[in-house]
Amino acid sequence: MDEQIYQAMLNSYKTIVEGMDPAIIIESNKGYFIHHPSDTIDKNILEVLLEYFEEEEDYDKCIKIKKHLKKYD
């Protein structure tokens, strides 16, 4: 289960922050996301991603997520 949570967080990060096409991820059979890829991204999703990657101590991702969060201020 932890692997699926990590994969969902990573996939959502890749699509939201890095702009990867979600269809590529879905086709890989690891199409877990914490958001629906066709929905509009809201601030809450980014905050969840930020909290998760802070706990993982992946600060490079945190910096990029914070840049996206500034768009909502």
Side-chain angles (χ1 to χ4, degrees), residues 1 5-8 13-16 21 23 26 30 32-34 36 38-41 50 53 63-64 66 70 72:
M1 183 64 140
I5 292 170
Y6 173 76
Q7 194 66 53
Y13 171 84
K14 286 179 179 179
T15 58
I16 296 167
D21 183 351
I26 293 167
K30 291 186 179 182
Y32 309 111
F33 297 90
I34 65 164
H36 194 286
S38 65
D39 287 349
T40 304
I41 304 305
L50 180 61
F53 286 113
I63 290 167
K64 292 177 182 178
K66 285 181 181 183
K70 287 182 181 180
Y72 292 88

Side-chain angles (χ1 to χ4, degrees), residues 29-62:
N29 291 328
K30 291 186 179 182
Y32 309 111
F33 297 90
I34 65 164
H35 72 292
H36 194 286
S38 65
D39 287 349
T40 304
I41 304 305
D42 63 20
K43 186 176 181 179
N44 183 54
I45 296 294
L46 288 167
E47 289 171 342
V48 170
L49 281 174
L50 180 61
E51 183 178 328
Y52 179 81
F53 286 113
E54 283 175 340
E55 289 175 14
E56 293 292 311
E57 298 180 1
D58 192 338
Y59 300 118
D60 290 333
K61 285 183 178 63
C62 293

